[in-house]
Amino acid sequence: MTNTYTNIKRMCHTAPNVLRGLLSHLAEAISDYIIYQVNSGAQCIQIFDSWGGQLPPHVWEQWSKPYIRQIVAKIKTECPHIPLVLYINGNGGLLERMKDIGVDVIGLDWTVDMADGRRRVGDGISVQGNVDPAYLFSPLPVLTHEIHRVVKAAGPKGHILNLGHGVLQKTPEEAVAHFFDVTRSLRYDTLFQGHLTEELQPVA
């Protein structure tokens, strides 16, 4: 493993049959593990495509998307009631390509404008995110303002508030607590008072 995924990227061209077999095997194993998690009580599953944001979109279509589809198809067959979230760090160039993969929610990292991301995926898929984790190092009023900004940009339905990635090392615990306190205090009836819900149409 490298930060740039050069070893596995090279396999796309030097050992494609080996890589196809490996990815298919991993997809099957991951599917079985997800089913085990659901049978053990998991109520929602998030799939992380760790290298997806490092791939050019046409390469992602060939070497990542089919195997995520393989996982999603098996889970939807075996556990149709379980919501599936797909997160790819650096997915700004892939949003339109992610829409038909079969998941219920697409996670957005903090480099994607929330309102723009909502427009790009359309109204048929919910979104998750996307407060920049670095905001948890800011003064608490600044963090509060950013949480409200993201929620308002996402609109009054189909949004799971979250960070745009995981909590960074050395993040102050009080900031994490504040994030949850502000989130719990949100009231959509007042936050979106007078807001007429519009249907979001995918960008052509």
Side-chain angles (χ1 to χ4, degrees):
M1 180 179 174
T2 65
N3 292 333
T4 54
Y5 297 90
T6 49
N7 292 332
I8 195 167
K9 283 183 176 182
R10 184 169 63 245
M11 286 182 69
C12 296
H13 312 289
T14 61
N17 292 333
V18 173
L19 184 56
R20 288 189 191 97
L22 173 63
L23 293 175
S24 183
H25 178 75
L26 287 173
E28 189 68 22
I30 290 168
S31 301
D32 290 342
Y33 182 55
I34 290 173
I35 293 169
Y36 171 79
Q37 288 183 313
V38 172
N39 290 337
S40 299
Q43 298 175 317
C44 182
I45 296 293
Q46 180 161 261
I47 301 167
F48 292 85
D49 182 0
S50 299
W51 75 327
Q54 294 290 325
L55 299 175
H58 71 284
V59 177
W60 181 81
E61 287 273 2
Q62 180 179 0
W63 287 106
S64 193
K65 187 175 185 177
Y67 305 99
I68 299 173
R69 270 190 169 149
Q70 181 181 336
I71 295 169
V72 170
K74 185 166 183 177
I75 303 310
K76 288 296 185 181
T77 299
E78 299 289 331
C79 312
H81 62 291
I82 291 297
L84 294 179
V85 184
L86 175 59
Y87 178 78
I88 304 174
N89 195 37
N91 65 353
L94 300 172
L95 291 183
E96 289 81 4
R97 298 169 187 260
M98 296 169 66
K99 292 188 299 185
D100 64 350
I101 216 162
V103 296
D104 306 288
V105 183
I106 291 177
L108 303 178
D109 70 32
W110 69 93
T111 65
V112 177
D113 178 77
M114 175 57 77
D116 182 53
R118 289 306 310 265
R119 283 190 292 269
R120 289 172 63 189
V121 302
D123 200 44
I125 302 177
S126 297
V127 294
Q128 177 176 277
N130 66 343
V131 175
D132 184 347
Y135 268 95
L136 276 71
F137 291 87
S138 304
L140 296 184
V142 175
L143 175 58
T144 300
H145 181 269
E146 179 62 8
I147 292 170
H148 282 247
R149 187 196 68 79
V150 168
V151 171
K152 288 179 180 177
K157 64 177 183 177
H159 173 227
I160 301 170
L161 178 63
N162 202 350
L163 299 178
H165 200 276
V167 177
L168 301 174
Q169 291 185 10
K170 300 183 180 180
T171 297
E173 290 184 16
E174 60 270 22
V176 178
H178 185 73
F179 185 95
F180 282 103
D181 289 342
V182 173
T183 300
R184 291 190 186 103
S185 72
L186 293 174
R187 295 293 178 268
Y188 272 51
D189 55 346
T190 56
L191 197 63
F192 293 98
Q193 193 170 19
H195 179 92
L196 295 176
T197 302
E198 60 176 303
E199 293 297 314
L200 296 167
Q201 298 300 323
V203 175

